[in-house]
Amino acid sequence: MYTKSLKGLTIPLISVLAGFIVGAILMLIFGYDPIQNYQNLLIGSLGGIYSIGETLRNMISLILTALGFAVASKAGFFNIGGPGQYLIGWFGAIVFTLKFSHLPAVILIIGALLCGALAGGLWSMIAGVLRAYFGTSEVITTIMLNYIVLYLVNFAVKSWLASKGSDSSPNITTKANLNTPFLQHITDNSTFNWGFFIALAVVGLVWFYFKKTKSGFEIQAVGLNESASQYAGVNVKRTIIIAMLISGLLAGLGGAIDGLGNFENISVSNNLPNVGYNGMAVALLAAGNPIGIIFAALLFSALQIGGLSISVYSNTPSEIVDIVIASIIFFVGIKYAFELMTKKGWLKRKNKVVKGGAEK
């Protein structure tokens, strides 16, 4: 067991190290100091209470969108709909908060989070139903659903929520904000909020779901072999839909928490939220392990928050951090590429049998 766990850590650690090396080489090529820049990155992400608060807050949506992607992956699906599910979850939470602002604070917050999570889950379930009953590729449907929800939310915000001449909804009521004065005080007015603890609790729930429940076992069984699972009595169609529903619920919850704890409103946007795609990268780096996702999210969050400090303390463009992140994803992706080629038999030596049965 120990050897297996150690082996599982090898690829992520090598990928992270290789990503930092690629970034350092590029900095040297263009005349920047990699050691100083990495020091600035560390200071910017973990060098003070405020920085730590921002890094932990940025982890929230990364953890939840990564968990969503991981759940779909365990069922054998590649859910690229995280950005759209996150966005509709954000939208659902803001709408609920604005429309029911008269409710007590606890009920208002719980209702908004549930509304956002449910919106993300139902949106993702569309792809699950199409996959289960029509064999439609979830990759294609989730990409299409991403752009449908982007323009749908933009229309709704502009037409129903924003005042005339504005592109943003009103701010939510103070009692619905997950970032309380207490948390602001202990983190030097950072945006750190209670959503971080919700995300950690959800990690525990997802771990328990896959380790201890029949439904979690069925999802993993379907991911390994649909035909064998069906032969063993698993309702494959139902399991596919449940997996996509849970995947969207998690991403939608991430959007809801960001809406209540960070943005406090919702605006018209020209692009899909990057956090959905970054969550995919976090899940891949952690190999879908819920506990590993926490550490992978910490790394990505530290790179994103600390990367802003690189251009502040030096003339190095902050985009260098994007190259480091992309390099890490690339090196992680190599592992999956080789696994796919092995599974397909592309790496196996093709022996040519000649007359008499001898290999050529």
Side-chain angles (χ1 to χ4, degrees):
M1 181 66 72
Y2 176 77
T3 304
K4 185 177 179 181
S5 300
L6 189 62
K7 185 179 179 181
L9 288 172
T10 303
I11 295 297
L13 291 175
I14 292 175
S15 300
V16 171
L17 179 61
F20 277 104
I21 291 173
V22 169
I25 292 172
L26 287 174
M27 283 186 240
L28 288 172
I29 290 174
F30 290 100
Y32 303 119
D33 184 352
I35 296 178
Q36 185 61 51
N37 282 325
Y38 284 143
Q39 287 178 346
N40 293 338
L41 187 151
L42 187 62
I43 292 171
S45 59
L46 301 171
I49 296 299
Y50 174 84
S51 300
I52 292 173
E54 290 297 316
T55 299
L56 294 179
R57 189 273 308 162
N58 194 53
M59 284 177 62
I60 299 170
S61 53
L62 289 174
I63 289 173
L64 292 170
T65 53
L67 285 173
F69 181 81
V71 169
S73 296
K74 287 184 182 296
F77 309 126
F78 208 81
N79 180 11
I80 307 184
Q85 294 147 22
Y86 168 93
L87 179 59
I88 200 169
W90 175 6
F91 174 75
I94 295 297
V95 169
F96 184 92
T97 307
L98 293 176
K99 299 302 180 183
F100 298 96
S101 58
H102 60 279
L103 293 174
V106 174
I107 297 176
L108 183 62
I109 291 173
I110 293 175
L113 294 178
L114 290 176
C115 185
L118 187 60
L122 292 176
W123 195 255
S124 177
M125 198 172 71
I126 295 173
V129 170
L130 291 173
R131 174 67 172 78
Y133 286 96
F134 302 101
T136 309
S137 169
E138 73 281 356
V139 174
I140 296 173
T141 53
T142 51
I143 290 175
M144 294 174 66
L145 286 169
N146 277 343
Y147 287 96
I148 291 172
V149 77
L150 171 63
Y151 296 115
L152 181 63
V153 167
N154 282 348
F155 172 80
V157 170
K158 190 72 175 177
S159 302
W160 303 332
L161 299 181
S163 57
K164 189 175 181 181
S166 174
D167 287 332
S168 302
S169 72
N171 284 353
I172 62 174
T173 178
T174 304
K175 63 182 177 180
N177 196 332
L178 292 174
N179 187 2
T180 64
F182 168 72
L183 293 178
Q184 288 179 331
H185 174 70
I186 64 174
T187 60
D188 287 348
N189 292 316
S190 77
T191 55
F192 179 71
N193 59 73
W194 292 109
F196 179 76
F197 303 103
I198 296 174
L200 293 183
V202 172
V203 169
L205 289 174
V206 171
W207 178 89
F208 180 84
Y209 177 73
F210 282 115
K211 292 290 185 180
K212 304 296 182 181
T213 69
K214 177 184 175 183
S215 178
F217 173 79
E218 289 178 343
I219 287 177
Q220 295 177 85
V222 169
L224 292 172
N225 193 315
E226 283 189 29
S227 299
S229 299
Q230 189 166 10
Y231 181 78
V234 175
N235 188 328
V236 173
K237 289 185 173 61
R238 183 187 66 190
T239 303
I240 290 172
I241 294 172
I242 289 174
M244 291 300 289
L245 172 65
I246 295 174
S247 179
L249 282 171
L250 294 166
L253 179 60
I257 290 175
D258 263 358
L260 300 186
N262 185 26
F263 300 108
E264 301 180 36
N265 69 352
I266 188 167
S267 305
V268 172
S269 176
N270 294 325
N271 301 300
L272 288 161
N274 286 329
V275 64
Y277 298 116
N278 291 333
M280 292 168 54
V282 169
L284 290 173
L285 180 61
N289 184 294
I291 307 301
I293 282 174
I294 296 175
F295 296 100
L298 176 60
L299 171 66
F300 272 66
S301 183
L303 287 170
Q304 291 171 343
I305 299 300
L308 301 175
S309 300
I310 287 181
S311 58
V312 173
Y313 296 115
S314 71
N315 62 344
T316 307
S318 59
E319 286 76 13
I320 193 68
V321 174
D322 295 329
I323 296 175
V324 173
I325 293 175
S327 300
I328 292 173
I329 298 171
F330 171 78
F331 288 112
V332 172
I334 289 177
K335 170 198 172 187
Y336 292 96
F338 275 106
E339 286 180 350
L340 177 62
M341 287 188 287
T342 302
K343 185 177 180 180
K344 296 291 185 180
W346 297 342
L347 296 182
K348 292 180 180 179
R349 184 169 63 91
K350 294 182 179 180
N351 296 323
K352 295 182 180 180
V353 180
V354 296
K355 193 173 182 179
E359 291 184 1
K360 188 176 181 179

